[in-house]
Amino acid sequence: MQRRASGEVESGRRRLRAWLEQYHNAVMIHQAEALPLRRDMVTLLSFVRDNKVVGTQSTGNMPLKAVREVTARFVKPPELDTTIGDRVYRLRSEADVWPLYFLHILAEVSGLLAIAPARRWRLASEGEKLLGMDSLLQVSFLLTVWWHQVNWLVAYPVAGMGDALPSSFERITLAHLRSNPVGTYVPFEAFADGLIESTELTWTAQDCSSDTMLLRGSIARMVIHVLAAFGAAECEYREEPLGKGTTPVLDTFEITPFGKALLDAVAIVT
């Protein structure tokens, strides 16, 4: 990785200080402090600091006992076992618990946690710094990590998406989102189709009659649902037929004032 010039780094710091001064008010601080994602990340980092967690031999993921212990402390503990009829399907892997696995990815990629196969998870110095940060900075930091450091396909690991998104996908997505009026609901399918065209996002699997639906689904998972988890977007759904019942489908979304602030921070930290 190429080291940035000191002048460029200082310029970025000035822009971030100006951003914090603009948005650091009681309403924003309250939303950041209350955000379940932020509180769950604090829970995860504190759990690793205070408990012996040894990564699995194959992947380094959290062992199942620890998965159950830490997720029980989340703001909204996820369902770990599924009952279908008279059968119970037990949790098999941390990767099956998206709310936890998502935090794991953010923490590992950003250096908050040191994770390795068959080794004890450790809270890194960056993780200790995050625990002492202002809540609004915590949230903005985590979203910028997702935007600039993570391969978004981890949220939609389907073979037809290939190994990487188009090189400009994250940048163009940010521009499209920031051009939407704050607090106005936008039809999701029109937004997704515009983004697909602008980024030249394609479905790599051949002979797929559902490629448009699947590409829209990828944008819902990688972009809108992640923003919703950060409190940056609010979503409305409609019910569509599926088998003998129905399934919720993302219909419209809006960027919240809190989301505008976070997207501004993402644009600053490149």
Side-chain angles (χ1 to χ4, degrees), residues 72-267:
R73 306 180 189 187
F74 280 7
V75 175
K76 296 179 181 178
E79 184 177 339
L80 302 182
D81 304 313
T82 304
T83 301
I84 302 178
D86 58 355
R87 294 195 59 182
V88 177
Y89 296 86
R90 307 285 290 180
L91 173 67
R92 297 177 301 171
S93 166
E94 180 210 339
D96 295 333
V97 187
W98 175 249
L100 172 60
Y101 193 53
F102 180 58
L103 297 177
H104 168 161
I105 293 165
L106 293 178
E108 184 173 16
V109 168
S110 61
L112 303 177
L113 292 176
I115 297 171
R119 301 289 296 273
R120 180 175 178 175
W121 285 31
R122 296 193 179 279
L123 180 67
S125 59
E126 291 301 314
E128 294 175 350
K129 290 178 184 177
L130 186 92
L131 288 176
M133 275 185 190
D134 175 276
S135 60
L136 186 56
L137 279 177
Q138 288 176 332
V139 177
S140 62
F141 171 81
L142 294 173
L143 183 58
T144 57
V145 168
W146 171 256
W147 217 276
H148 297 303
Q149 295 181 246
V150 178
N151 182 347
W152 288 2
L153 290 175
V154 71
Y156 198 75
V158 181
M161 292 299 294
D163 297 325
L165 294 169
S167 59
S168 60
F169 187 84
E170 292 86 350
R171 176 180 57 80
I172 294 175
T173 298
L174 180 61
H176 278 229
L177 289 167
R178 295 182 76 206
S179 70
N180 287 342
V182 174
T184 300
Y185 276 95
V186 175
F188 167 70
E189 290 179 0
F191 171 82
D193 291 347
L195 195 56
I196 291 167
E197 181 179 0
S198 297
T199 61
E200 299 183 349
L201 184 67
T202 58
W203 188 259
T204 60
Q206 296 181 353
D207 301 325
C208 181
S209 60
S210 304
D211 55 348
T212 298
M213 179 188 71
L214 292 165
L215 288 175
R216 288 173 178 168
S218 74
I219 292 171
R221 286 286 299 274
M222 298 185 301
V223 181
I224 306 303
H225 290 169
V226 168
L227 289 176
F230 275 92
E234 292 185 356
C235 303
E236 293 184 334
Y237 294 83
R238 65 178 185 272
E239 293 291 328
E240 290 197 349
L242 179 65
K244 297 181 179 180
T246 61
T247 186
V249 174
L250 181 58
D251 188 36
T252 64
F253 74 94
E254 68 167 359
I255 299 301
T256 64
F258 188 66
K260 178 188 183 306
L262 295 181
L263 291 173
D264 285 350
V266 169

